[in-house]
Amino acid sequence: MTENPRAEAVRATFAQIPQVAALGIVIEELSEGVARMTMPYDPQLVGDPATGVMHGGAVSTLLDSCSGAAVGCHPQATGQTATIDLRINYIRPAAPGQAITARAHCYHVTRSFAFIRATAHDEDTSLPVAEAVGTFTFNAEPQVEA
Amino acid sequence: MTRAPEPVQVVKQRRDAALQAMVDGVPYIRFLGIHFERRGDELTGILPYSHHLIGNPFLPALHGGVTAAFLEVTAIIGLSWSMIWEDLEAGRLDPSSLSPQNMPRLPRTIDMSVDYLRSGLPRDAYARARVNRSGRRYASVFVECWQDNRARPFAQATGHFTMPTPMPRPGE
């Protein structure tokens, strides 16, 4: 697979994010406007001790990270991205013991805003555990004055 | 016949023990380092700054996912607290029976919509939740978080939560 030219910069940035490292999130794929990442199952991230299901907050962080990377990989988005709005539906509990994989698609950008859709799955790919819709901003590259 | 009011230490001990049991039972709350302060029935979530919470090392700023998680945790604990408060005060719930292994079931998140107002600075953050609707099947909770200035929240959210099965009432 040919890597998106922006992928290298996104990878370098992600390698320096402490929260991404703390959750053990790894990048699986970066292509034009698309990112895929996996977060391994970790007992530290459990939200319901009775069932061992990971907390929605950890899934939010995975979806937010993956969405930010998808924006970063969009050819018209430049500079650093920041989340303005993230709406998440928790569709079903993730299976305890299984890694969660998120896929985000930045499907449109304007001059300074980017729109994303994302889903998160465990090993059962027939129904996502969560889905997200988000809006991001990015710093436009400095324009040369005419 | 009027009952003598309970000694203040008994009341505080009961309430703090119930809150502690609810929070300590959740590994992810410990992972983020969140704890709660209580004034009567009002709870404030506190997220002490820690390097592992950073999502943008260049600014630096808290991770947007951590902010969302802090709001979600505060909303769930706030909602649970409002649900168990009545049972606790009426003596239907004994806080000494609560432990991380034996907790009241927490509400489950259906959805959360997070509005990021400004970047989270690398310092302590605080959050409070308000239950706007609490029905038999679901609740709607508003929650906001701030840092140095209470009037300038850095994020706010509305979430919907399924209600766990209520504690059985006497005679039921």
Side-chain angles (χ1 to χ4, degrees), chain A residues 19 48-49 65 84 86 88 90, chain B residues 25 52 105 110 112 114 116:
Chain A
Q19 178 64 15
D48 183 350
S65 299
I84 308 180
L86 194 66
I88 300 178
Y90 294 97
Chain B
H52 81 290
R105 291 307 299 272
I110 306 165
M112 278 279 287
V114 184
Y116 294 92

Side-chain angles (χ1 to χ4, degrees), chain B residues 93-130:
Chain B
L93 178 69
D94 174 13
S96 67
S97 73
L98 297 175
S99 67
Q101 287 71 42
N102 180 32
M103 284 206 308
R105 291 307 299 272
L106 295 174
R108 271 213 351 248
T109 314
I110 306 165
D111 62 61
M112 278 279 287
S113 190
V114 184
D115 180 12
Y116 294 92
L117 303 168
R118 41 186 70 83
S119 67
L121 303 170
R123 57 189 76 154
D124 294 1
Y126 313 99
R128 277 190 201 137
R130 185 179 73 225

Side-chain angles (χ1 to χ4, degrees), chain A residues 6-29:
Chain A
R6 295 187 180 274
E8 204 177 315
V10 171
R11 269 182 204 284
T13 303
F14 266 69
Q16 295 181 63
I17 301 179
Q19 178 64 15
V20 164
L23 294 179
I25 294 173
V26 292
I27 297 174
E28 303 281 353
E29 179 199 342

Side-chain angles (χ1 to χ4, degrees), chain B residues 25-89:
Chain B
V26 183
Y28 184 68
I29 298 181
R30 271 203 306 277
F31 171 80
L32 292 178
I34 298 169
H35 62 273
F36 286 85
E37 266 186 19
R38 186 185 64 78
R39 300 280 180 274
D41 70 344
E42 181 196 67
L43 294 186
T44 306
I46 300 172
L47 176 70
Y49 172 69
S50 168
H51 181 68
H52 81 290
L53 304 178
I54 290 293
N56 182 329
F58 310 107
L59 286 175
L62 297 180
H63 197 294
V66 168
T67 301
F70 180 41
L71 291 169
E72 187 176 338
V73 164
T74 304
I76 292 174
I77 297 296
L79 177 60
S80 306
W81 184 243
S82 73
M83 282 156 34
I84 74 162
W85 175 265
E86 214 184 299
D87 288 327
L88 188 67
E89 294 306 297

Side-chain angles (χ1 to χ4, degrees), chain B residues 132-143:
Chain B
N132 280 332
R133 176 207 197 265
S134 174
R136 266 191 317 133
R137 288 181 303 148
Y138 75 94
S140 174
V141 182
F142 173 81
V143 53

Side-chain angles (χ1 to χ4, degrees), chain B residues 17-29:
Chain B
L19 178 61
Q20 200 67 34
M22 216 162 60
V23 173
D24 286 356
V26 183
Y28 184 68
I29 298 181

